[in-house]
Structures are given as structure tokens and as C-alpha cells.
Amino acid sequence: MDNSYQLKKLEGFDLVEVISNPKTPCHIKQKAIRTLRNIIYKDRQLAWKIIEKLLPVLETFIIHPRDNDLQREALWLLGYVRNHLSIGIIENLIASPQTPPLLKEKALRVLGFSISRGSKLAAQAVERLLPILESLIVSTQTLDGLKKMAIKTLVKGLPLKVDSPKVEFPKESYNFVSIDDILSKVRSPHNPRFISRSLVYDLNDNNILVIKILKEKQHPSSLLREGYWIKYLNKLKTEGHFTDVRFDIPQLLEFCGGYVIKLTNIPIRIPKEIKLHPDKYAICFVISKEYFCYPNETQPEKVLSWQEIKEVMARCAYLLGYLTSLGIIHTEVIPLFHNRIQIGRRFDRGLYRWQFKGRLDRWLVSCDWPNFGKTGIRDFEHIISWGEKPPVGYQDRSGLYRFIGNHLLSLFLVTGSYFRNRKREMTGWDHKGNPVDARNLFNKSLFKEIIQAILLSYYKGFVGKEYLEKFPFDLDNLIQRAIEEMGVDRHMEERLRIEDQQRMSDEEFKEFLITKGYSGEEIKRFVKGKEDIILLSGPHLGGFNELISLPEMIDAITIWAALCIIGKYKNGF
């Protein structure tokens, strides 16, 4: 048959002859298979009658390919069918030790596609394939592409169910409350001062009173959320949770049955740099005086000892893992961005999606004032229940896996900042334009000990048992590479694109440049929207619009987050 005749016959049962005939050119067979895919959408029953006759031929195309494109079309056709026989063929390809790694990777991609299209059969195949997928993930011999696809398919398909609290926030109602009313509820308040946006009083029992005031442009619902979770976590504590680990949960003060208030007066001057909401919404709570002790302090007298930093990082890793296992997820351990400037322009608000290995914006600045410290996890306004509608990018089965990765990444970065903050002034480029080299601030053995403690503690908190196997990646090399990238500020630049300038008012444009350290005279040289502006805002991990400069960190997090999911599933979730 000539090509024109074959093309005209790409319909009905003639497709069997076109595809199975050895004389049919490969590109015609490809078009015939694509035609079959289209028939699936119109008449799945008819399409299956045709495909069923072709299964041996399709398997031959896949296992003994004469043409890579034809192999791909045959494999994807099985993914579109998504019945017992087609999923079975894909599953056997993945399970067989004879399957070449590249073909196994392609088969996993197709299985993942079937799962994303709602195939329960494909998800069940992942459960049966779990031992094989786990061995691919932990083996240091597995090719990177195959390992990545094994993880991606596993977290899509493994039916891990996490119980989560049903959240019912109180109705918004705010009482006007004076400072005197607040102080009457505590004993011997003294030494009022602002710590960031919070008005803080010392108390005589090693505690402090914190009056947390809403920031400018924030909505009071964030305070409602924080108060709700303070009460809920205290309830969990009375039920026996957190008994074997330090977790200081604030004691909330209530006024006329509510806890979000409007302050009628503030007795001390508000620092100029603090921008508070004009209505002075606030919540009040009592907490240990160590509440504002961060793991990566810059002031020498506040810096944690080596023993303290290791204990705090391990404990907070455990708490984050444990809370996540309860469906209580902290969504911002530290702020993680790919590009802060594009918060208002990108659909993802510039937030960092670590699985894509993009450049990480201002990593060291992001670690300032993390939402955990000596007292444990804090700033509960960032907590969600897994039963709530998750944020964009976290709404499928693998959303939990991505949150776990966020936690691990945040903990890793804060550990790096602990060493850099010993001399925070050693940042950026010197007067000759050379990157500052601060690698001597790092202690390699301590860095390794802390990261190892973080990984093992998070796993234990989330899974409910200890990880007893060898680490499935080279931890020594990871730490060495981390010191090389976190210790030398090679990537300082970011670009303020024309599109982002045009979204700003003239005043916003000026204020933005002031925050970047430009003087009034320097700002006059810029014409808004004329050209991209290069800013020195780092250090970043990676050049602007490039990949992350520390991919080894993301690789390790990718593997460890997957092992947490596997461990939880095997432990009975």
C-alpha cells in the first residue's frame, strides 16, 4: 500500500491492518495510533475493541522498538486506555528487571499520567509496585531521571490519607480594649517595648505578655486563625500530645468571649519602621520569655551554643513532622521565593516551588526571624488544616509531599544561616566586585550533625518511628557543596523588569528603590519603565532566571520527602 492510501484508511477496523502490517512506514503507524487515541474520547468501547487486537503488536513496538517515536506513541496509547490490561502491561514494564532504565522511566511517566486522569487502577498499581519504587529511590545507582520519575509517580499514586481537624473559625467580632484592661489580666507587667510589631511586657515568672498587633494591609482574619490554632494546640496538649518534647504554646487572653481585639491606646512610641494596621487589631497571649529566641541570632550574646542549635533544630523538625502527620501544616516556616519582585504578577505569586530546582531568592534574608525557635513552632497564623482547601500548587495527592519538602528546605537554610550570621556583615561583594568568601564561618562536622538530626527527627515525627537505614545520598558531599554555595556570595543580582516597574506607582517605584539602598540622587537617574534595572539584593542561590546553584540540596530533599511518605504509608498512616 502507498502512503496516501494508508492515510485515507485511518478509520474503523482498518487501523488494525495499518498498525500491524510490517510494511506500513513508522510515521503512518504513529498517525494511526494517534487516531486511535482520538477515538477513545468519542467511543471508548469501540477504541478498546481495536486496541485489544493490537496489544501484542503494541507490546512489540514498546519492548523491541525499531523507532523511538513509535515506541512513545504505543506506550502513551496504553496510558490513555487505562483499563486492567493496559495498566497491567505498563506495570509489568516497571516491575521487570529486564526493562531498560529509559523505558522504565517512560512507563512511569505514563502511569503517572493515568493517575492524574483519575485512574484508580493506575493508583493501585503504584501500591503493588511500592517495593520496586522504593528500591529505585534509595539506590545510589539509579539514574537521576528514573529516580525523579519514580518519586513523582509514587507521591501521585500512593493513597496516603492524613486525618485532619475540621476547622471552624469564630465569627469576626472585635471588642475595643485598653492597655489597662489587658494588663489587669496578668501579674506585675513591666518594661514595655516593641519587638517587631508586638508590644511586649516582662512578667515576674519568666514569662512575657505579647500583644501581637496586625500589620498594615493585613486582614484581621489572620489573627482569628492564629488564635484558633493556639486554642486547638493547647487542647491537643491536654489530650496527651507533645508530652515528651518541649513545645511552649501561648496562653491566649480572652475579652468578652473573644480574643481578637481593637487596641484603644498604645502607651509607648511606635518605632517609625513598624507599619501597623490603623485599627490596631491585636491578640494577646502569655508565653515563655524565650519566645523571641531564634535559632540563628546575629547578636553575639544571643547566639545559641553548638549543643543548643542542634537540639532546637532537631526538636522543631520533629514538631513540624508530627504536626503534619496530624494534618496540621505550617505553610511558612520561612518565606520561600523564586522571585519576590513578581509577587503581584505571577500566578504563583513568585513563591518557590522546590521540585523545579529554580533559583532561590535572597536565601539569607529569608532566614531572618524564622517561625520557630527555642519555644518550638510559632506564628500559627500560617497553619492550615489539610482538610481545608490547600493553596494553589498543593491541591493534588502530592501536595503533602511538597509541604514536607518546604519544611525540610526551610530547616536546611536556617541551619546554613546560623553559621553565616556569626558575622552577618560579611555579605555581598567587596569593593573590587569580588564575592565575599565566608566559608570559614562554617563548621562542617556540626553542619552535618544538625542536618542529619533534622532529617531523622522530621521522619520520626511524621512517620511515627525511627529511620534505621543508611542515608540514600552522600551527606558529606551535600554538606561540602552547601558550604561552597552558602559561604560564597556569587549570586547577588536580580532584575527589576519593565513589566514589574509598570505595575508600580511613581511613589511605589521610589520607595522600592529606597529599600534597596539607593539614595534620592541615584533614584533620579532612573526612568520608570524605560529599561530593566539590575539590583544587588542577594545573596541568592542561583543567578537570576537560572537554576538553583545547590541542586544537591533539592535532590536530597526530594528523596527524603518521598521516604517520609513511604514510611507513613507502611506504618499504617
Side-chain angles (χ1 to χ4, degrees):
M1 289 188 292
D2 61 27
N3 289 357
S4 61
Y5 173 76
Q6 288 180 347
L7 286 170
K8 290 177 183 177
K9 298 289 288 182
L10 294 185
E11 57 183 26
F13 286 90
D14 286 346
L15 288 168
V16 175
E17 182 183 350
V18 171
I19 293 170
S20 59
N21 192 332
K23 295 181 180 180
T24 306
C26 286
H27 73 280
I28 299 297
K29 290 183 179 182
Q30 291 172 43
K31 290 183 178 180
I33 291 172
R34 283 197 290 270
T35 300
L36 260 178
R37 272 168 45 182
N38 291 333
I39 293 173
I40 290 172
Y41 289 114
K42 298 173 184 176
D43 190 336
R44 179 171 285 271
Q45 192 172 7
L46 171 62
W48 175 242
K49 285 181 180 179
I50 302 170
I51 293 168
E52 192 173 25
K53 296 180 179 182
L54 287 168
L55 282 178
V57 177
L58 294 172
E59 283 192 85
T60 301
F61 292 164
I62 294 167
I63 298 170
H64 306 291
R66 286 190 306 152
D67 181 275
N68 287 335
D69 291 336
L70 183 58
Q71 181 195 55
R72 184 188 67 246
E73 292 293 349
L75 193 55
W76 277 100
L77 179 62
L78 297 180
Y80 275 87
V81 173
R82 300 193 289 278
N83 66 12
H84 283 282
L85 285 175
S86 65
I87 295 297
I89 292 170
I90 297 169
E91 183 179 345
N92 290 337
L93 284 171
I94 297 166
S96 172
Q98 278 73 48
T99 304
L102 187 57
L103 177 54
K104 196 166 285 195
E105 181 183 336
K106 291 177 181 177
L108 281 165
R109 188 183 300 274
V110 172
L111 189 64
F113 165 79
S114 298
I115 294 167
S116 66
R117 293 300 180 97
S119 171
K120 292 182 180 178
L121 293 173
Q124 290 164 4
V126 168
E127 289 189 81
R128 292 190 293 272
L129 289 166
L130 180 57
I132 292 166
L133 296 178
E134 185 176 6
S135 67
L136 289 173
I137 291 166
V138 300
S139 173
T140 56
Q141 304 302 311
T142 306
L143 297 176
D144 287 345
L146 177 54
K147 183 172 291 192
K148 180 180 178 181
M149 197 51 60
I151 291 172
K152 191 173 181 180
T153 306
L154 181 138
V155 298
K156 273 185 180 180
L158 208 59
L160 181 65
K161 294 179 181 177
V162 174
D163 291 332
S164 55
K166 184 179 179 181
V167 176
E168 294 181 358
F169 294 113
K171 293 181 180 180
E172 295 185 18
S173 60
Y174 315 107
N175 296 304
F176 289 94
V177 177
S178 71
I179 288 293
D180 289 340
D181 293 332
I182 298 169
L183 299 184
S184 68
K185 288 181 172 284
V186 295
R187 295 179 64 182
S188 305
H190 58 281
N191 189 27
R193 66 212 180 268
F194 269 96
I195 300 179
S196 185
R197 56 153 152 175
S198 295
L199 176 58
V200 178
Y201 285 79
D202 289 328
L203 305 177
N204 284 343
D205 52 1
N206 287 323
N207 286 329
I208 54 174
L209 167 66
V210 178
I211 303 172
K212 187 172 182 177
I213 307 172
L214 196 68
K215 291 180 182 177
E216 185 180 44
K217 297 181 180 179
Q218 283 188 325
H219 194 275
S221 60
S222 66
L223 295 179
L224 281 170
R225 177 176 289 274
E226 176 146 26
Y228 173 87
W229 285 112
I230 287 174
K231 295 179 76 171
Y232 187 87
L233 293 173
N234 272 304
K235 176 174 170 285
L236 286 184
K237 200 164 190 176
T238 62
E239 293 171 354
H241 296 266
F242 322 119
T243 54
D244 56 349
V245 62
R246 180 184 177 185
F247 183 17
D248 295 353
I249 303 167
Q251 301 302 308
L252 200 62
L253 302 185
E254 297 196 31
F255 303 86
C256 300
Y259 50 79
V260 179
I261 63 172
K262 286 185 178 182
L263 278 174
T264 59
N265 64 311
I266 294 177
I268 62 173
R269 186 181 64 84
I270 303 171
K272 188 182 295 186
E273 67 274 10
I274 298 175
K275 306 295 183 184
L276 300 178
H277 194 286
D279 289 331
K280 304 297 186 295
Y281 294 100
I283 58 171
C284 309
F285 53 83
V286 173
I287 185 70
S288 163
K289 66 178 182 180
E290 293 185 321
Y291 182 72
F292 290 104
C293 292
Y294 295 98
N296 53 350
E297 292 282 358
T298 56
Q299 300 176 43
E301 67 276 11
K302 291 185 177 182
V303 173
L304 300 187
S305 69
W306 289 6
Q307 292 77 18
E308 286 176 318
I309 182 64
K310 183 178 175 182
E311 188 277 329
V312 168
M313 296 303 296
R315 174 161 50 87
C316 290
Y318 173 86
L319 287 170
L320 282 169
Y322 183 72
L323 288 170
T324 302
S325 77
L326 300 176
I328 301 169
I329 299 167
H330 203 298
T331 62
E332 193 173 294
V333 180
I334 64 172
L336 295 169
F337 286 93
H338 172 64
N339 190 344
R340 276 176 175 81
I341 289 176
Q342 295 181 344
I343 286 176
R345 186 159 67 85
R346 290 169 58 110
F347 79 95
D348 59 5
R349 300 181 65 248
L351 296 173
Y352 193 66
R353 303 174 75 182
W354 55 267
Q355 63 272 28
F356 297 122
K357 290 188 176 180
R359 162 250 205 198
L360 184 60
D361 183 273
R362 302 182 221 175
W363 78 269
L364 191 54
V365 170
S366 293
C367 294
D368 291 340
W369 307 292
N371 289 327
F372 65 94
K374 264 194 170 185
T375 57
I377 310 305
R378 44 171 291 163
D379 290 287
F380 302 152
E381 66 195 82
H382 300 294
I383 287 180
I384 64 168
S385 167
W386 188 236
E388 295 182 67
K389 184 179 178 181
V392 174
Y394 298 85
Q395 293 170 338
D396 57 12
R397 263 185 184 172
S398 54
L400 198 66
Y401 161 77
R402 289 193 283 274
F403 275 125
I404 291 171
N406 286 353
H407 293 165
L408 296 173
L409 176 58
S410 299
L411 292 162
F412 197 115
L413 294 171
V414 170
T415 304
S417 74
Y418 168 78
F419 296 103
R420 284 299 302 265
N421 283 354
R422 290 168 63 196
K423 287 190 178 179
R424 186 59 177 266
E425 67 275 10
M426 289 179 62
T427 305
W429 291 345
D430 64 21
H431 65 283
K432 294 182 179 179
N434 298 316
V436 165
D437 188 343
R439 286 177 291 181
N440 64 312
L441 298 178
F442 289 80
N443 181 301
K444 186 177 179 180
S445 61
L446 177 61
F447 199 174
K448 179 183 176 181
E449 285 180 26
I450 296 171
I451 296 303
Q452 185 168 302
I454 286 169
L455 296 173
L456 294 175
S457 298
Y458 193 97
Y459 184 94
K460 184 178 180 182
F462 182 73
V463 174
K465 61 188 294 187
E466 293 184 353
Y467 184 82
L468 300 175
E469 307 299 324
K470 284 185 177 180
F471 279 104
F473 41 79
D474 188 340
L475 195 55
D476 286 306
N477 180 64
L478 171 60
I479 298 304
Q480 183 60 45
R481 286 284 299 119
I483 292 172
E484 290 171 7
E485 295 301 327
M486 292 178 160
V488 182
D489 294 339
R490 298 180 183 89
H491 307 289
M492 291 297 297
E493 295 182 341
E494 71 175 313
R495 189 180 298 270
L496 180 59
R497 290 180 166 137
I498 292 173
E499 306 97 289
D500 296 308
Q501 296 174 42
Q502 290 172 337
R503 292 177 66 90
M504 299 175 177
S505 67
D506 290 343
E507 189 61 32
E508 287 171 337
F509 180 68
K510 180 181 177 182
E511 286 294 325
F512 179 83
L513 292 176
I514 289 172
T515 63
K516 300 302 175 186
Y518 287 93
S519 67
E521 288 300 313
E522 289 173 317
I523 292 171
K524 289 177 182 177
R525 299 202 307 265
F526 294 111
V527 178
K528 181 167 74 77
K530 181 182 179 182
E531 59 185 3
D532 290 355
I533 298 173
I534 305 300
L535 305 167
L536 298 181
S537 60
H540 313 287
L541 287 177
F544 189 81
N545 215 28
E546 295 177 5
L547 296 176
I548 192 168
S549 57
L550 185 51
E552 295 86 354
M553 177 176 63
I554 302 300
D555 290 339
I557 287 167
T558 300
I559 293 168
W560 200 256
L563 290 180
C564 287
I565 295 292
I566 293 170
K568 186 70 172 173
Y569 176 81
K570 290 168 70 174
N571 202 33
F573 56 89

